[in-house]
Structures are given as C-alpha cells and as structure tokens.
Amino acid sequence: MRVPIKITYTPPERTILVTGGAGFVGSAVCRLLASNGSMRVVNLDSLVDSVDSAALAVPADQPNYRFVEGDILDRALVSQVMAEESVDGVIHLAAEGRADRNPGEMPPFIDTNVGGTFQLLEASLEHWRNLLPDARARFRFHHVSTNAVFGDRSAGSIAVDENAPYRPSAPIAAARAAADHLVRAWHTSFGLPVVLSHASAGYGPWQKPGKLIPHAVINAIEGIRVPVYGAGSEVRDWLHVEDYARALQAVFFHGHAGESYSIGGREEHNNLAVVATICDLLDRIEPRADGRKRRSLITFLQDRRAADRRHAVDPTRIERELGWRPEISFVEGLTEVIDDYRDRARVEMGRAAAG
C-alpha cells in the first residue's frame, strides 16, 4: 500500500470546486489536490453514487477541504458555493451512470449529465465574469468526460485520439457527448475557458464492488465463482485511478483552453484476461488450502448487455504536451486492489471475532 497523504496547510493559492468528488474518480482527485497544502478543495456531491467515506478520510478533517452535499442541478447552491469560496477553477466529474427510470420520467442520466452540466456552466460563466482580472486569467472549467462518447472500436483499429468523431452507442454515452458539446459551445460563444478530457477504464481502491475488477477480486478471495459475461472478449484500456487523478490535475493546470485531452493507460486487456490475471496473482499471494487454482472459479454467463466491444485511447498528446504518463503498471495496480480487499477482509473477520 502507498504511504498515506500528509497535509501541511498554508493559505490557498487556488480554490478548486470538484463536482462528484465523493465518487470513485472524484475522491481520488480530492485526495490528490488536498495533499497540496496551498490548494483549497471544495467537494460538491449529491451522494447518490458515492464510494465508502473512508476514501475521503485523509482530507476530511483538513482545513483546506470542504464537503458540500448538493446537486449540480441546483444552480443557486452552486453559485452560492462559488461565491463563498472564491472558486477559481472547476473540475466537473459529477455524472449519472444509472439507466433506470419510471415510465414517463426523464432518464436520470439525461437530467443530470445534460441539465446538470448546463446549470454548472451557467453558474461558472456568471462567476467567471465577476472575477478580478488575475483570477479570470487563471480560471479553468475542466469537463471530465469518457471515451465511450467515441463508441465501439473494432479489433485492430487505431485507438481514438482528440480528433476522433463522436459515435456513442449507448444512451448514457450519448448524454455525455451532449454535455461535451455544451461545454465547447460555452467556450466558443461566451469565452468560458474550458478544457476537456476523455479517459479509458479506471480501476483501483474504493471502486464500487459491482465493477469487473473489484467483483472478481472479492469473489476470488472468498473462493466463489468469478463471473465473466459472454466470452469475456470486451477490451478496455485500463488506467489506475491515481494515475487518472494525476492526469486530470495536469489537464486542469496546464491544458490549453478550448482543447481536449485523451487519457489512457496503454494497458488494453479483455475481460477474461483481466479476471485470469487476478486469479493468478491471488494464487501467488495466497494459495488456496486445497491447492486448486482460482481460474477454476471462472464461470461464463450469458451476456444480454449491449456493451461496446472495445474502447482504446491514444494518450500521445497528453504525454507529449503535458508530460503526463501512467506510473502504476497493471499488475502492480491489481496487486494493490487485491491487498486492499484482503486487508478489509481481515478487519471484518477481526470485528466478527470480537463480537
């Protein structure tokens, strides 16, 4: 495990509003930014899809961190927070991933991802216009999107870069694409200084248990079946969440206004290979008592999902222009996730034994 963040607070040089900062990626961004004592981090999150509160335990008690529970659809609240905190930058991660809805209702991913981004843009534009010249010059609105807006990539095709056309396959991806277009329009029409980023699949500690990697790790540790949908042939480019957070920081501080940056880990693996690697790593770290290999736990399930076959990102631009590169290899990152869940399991066992 990495050494916990230690914070020494000094008066802030920058105050950054992070929307969705209680989510998986957002909490990593808050941890990273708050580790710099010259920054103040304001985390605005509705807690609809938050991770374990322990993910924010490090900055939570620090003087340079503030949490505000609220919805980006509430423009009055957003404007109030921006004014109170003298915000001079926004990293917009708040997005709705749920596809469920009741008959006659607007799907939540459209309401939040499109409507919420609109409200945040309007609040940011008004706030930016009222800033003093120096603060206006350093203000950035970083819209964090997803490579799903570029749609499916066939095997052997080139990875997407910043010039790729938008071809979202799923309704949720289409809503994210719509938000991207709004952000660009606010830059072109009103001059709001924006940057955009599109990243590959993130993984790491504190990810929701239902996601592929944590689900496989938990099941393999417990010795129960490890499900793989279909043939496990879906390919993703995997990126550790801490590398992801560093990339978002680099784009926010050093990206050129109006530009977009693709963020990838250069670690393309299909789902079956990912699960098999997790099983092999666990066998090496903690062999099963009966000597059986954990790959025997892999179970193939019928796949009824309409998922893209492949997402692939070309991060050449951010590597060349901003000097960012992933630092955590896929095997190292998976090992960290495994160790994290094994540690949690020991804690839970200790609690159960105590009473």
Side-chain angles (χ1 to χ4, degrees):
M1 298 292 291
R2 262 172 283 284
V3 176
I5 296 171
K6 294 182 179 179
I7 300 172
T8 302
Y9 183 60
T10 58
E13 297 175 2
R14 300 291 295 267
T15 298
I16 303 168
L17 174 64
V18 179
T19 70
F24 170 54
V25 178
S27 60
V29 171
C30 287
R31 291 194 300 270
L32 176 65
L33 295 177
S35 69
N36 184 333
S38 65
M39 293 184 200
R40 180 162 174 78
V41 180
V42 182
N43 175 2
L44 175 64
D45 197 295
S46 65
L47 300 181
V48 169
D49 193 30
S50 59
V51 293
D52 193 306
S53 59
L56 288 165
V58 172
D61 296 327
Q62 298 295 332
N64 66 332
Y65 174 83
R66 176 189 175 192
F67 172 73
V68 178
E69 183 175 354
D71 197 317
I72 57 172
L73 284 160
D74 186 347
R75 192 196 303 182
L77 173 64
V78 174
S79 297
Q80 177 185 341
V81 171
M82 286 183 168
E84 287 178 353
E85 294 288 351
S86 300
V87 167
D88 54 8
V90 177
I91 301 180
H92 176 32
L93 287 129
E96 179 63 77
R98 296 178 303 158
D100 57 311
R101 61 168 170 166
N102 295 321
E105 289 184 351
M106 178 182 290
F109 60 83
I110 293 179
D111 202 14
T112 298
N113 298 355
V114 181
T117 298
F118 164 74
Q119 299 293 355
L120 189 60
L121 284 167
E122 285 286 88
S124 297
L125 180 62
E126 180 182 12
H127 178 77
W128 172 69
R129 284 173 168 171
N130 290 326
L131 291 173
L132 294 174
D134 286 349
R136 287 189 67 187
R138 67 173 178 261
F139 187 91
R140 282 292 182 274
F141 183 103
H142 181 181
H143 178 62
V144 182
S145 187
T146 168
N147 67 353
V149 300
F150 303 116
D152 199 2
R153 308 297 296 176
S154 61
S157 63
I158 61 171
V160 296
D161 63 12
E162 294 76 11
N163 299 312
Y166 277 54
R167 291 174 180 166
S169 307
I172 292 178
R176 300 297 295 273
D180 286 9
H181 293 316
L182 287 177
V183 172
R184 287 195 173 94
W186 258 244
H187 173 69
T188 303
S189 298
F190 309 118
L192 185 68
V194 307
V195 286
L196 296 89
S197 59
H198 299 87
S200 54
Y203 75 98
W206 308 116
Q207 191 170 23
K208 286 282 188 174
K211 296 293 185 179
L212 174 69
I213 288 176
H215 189 52
V217 169
I218 293 169
N219 285 24
I221 288 174
E222 295 180 354
I224 60 179
R225 72 176 188 173
V226 181
V228 172
Y229 287 96
S233 58
E234 292 171 17
V235 175
R236 298 294 182 263
D237 177 15
W238 296 95
L239 177 67
H240 193 280
V241 70
E242 291 182 15
D243 281 331
Y244 192 175
R246 289 192 308 100
L248 297 181
Q249 177 180 252
V251 171
F252 176 81
F253 284 108
H254 306 297
H256 300 291
E259 299 296 332
S260 175
Y261 296 85
S262 294
I263 305 168
R266 298 191 183 276
E267 289 278 9
E268 281 194 53
H269 305 281
N270 66 37
N271 288 352
L272 179 57
V274 171
V275 170
T277 301
I278 289 169
C279 291
D280 293 346
L281 287 171
L282 257 170
D283 285 342
R284 190 182 312 160
I285 296 168
E286 189 176 88
R288 297 175 72 185
D290 60 9
R292 296 178 61 196
K293 299 298 183 182
R294 286 183 171 86
R295 286 198 184 205
S296 64
L297 300 172
I298 296 175
T299 305
F300 294 92
L301 305 179
Q302 185 176 352
D303 193 355
R304 294 187 175 90
R305 303 167 304 154
D308 292 338
R309 295 166 298 175
R310 176 176 175 247
H311 290 164
V313 178
D314 180 357
T316 299
R317 181 179 191 182
I318 189 173
E319 292 173 348
R320 182 182 65 246
E321 294 185 9
L322 306 186
W324 171 89
R325 283 177 176 76
E327 297 178 356
I328 302 169
S329 72
F330 193 49
V331 169
E332 178 188 357
L334 287 181
T335 302
E336 179 184 33
V337 174
I338 290 169
D339 288 342
D340 180 63
Y341 277 104
R342 289 175 68 232
D343 289 344
R344 290 195 220 178
R346 291 192 193 98
V347 170
E348 290 301 320
M349 290 175 62
R351 288 175 180 166

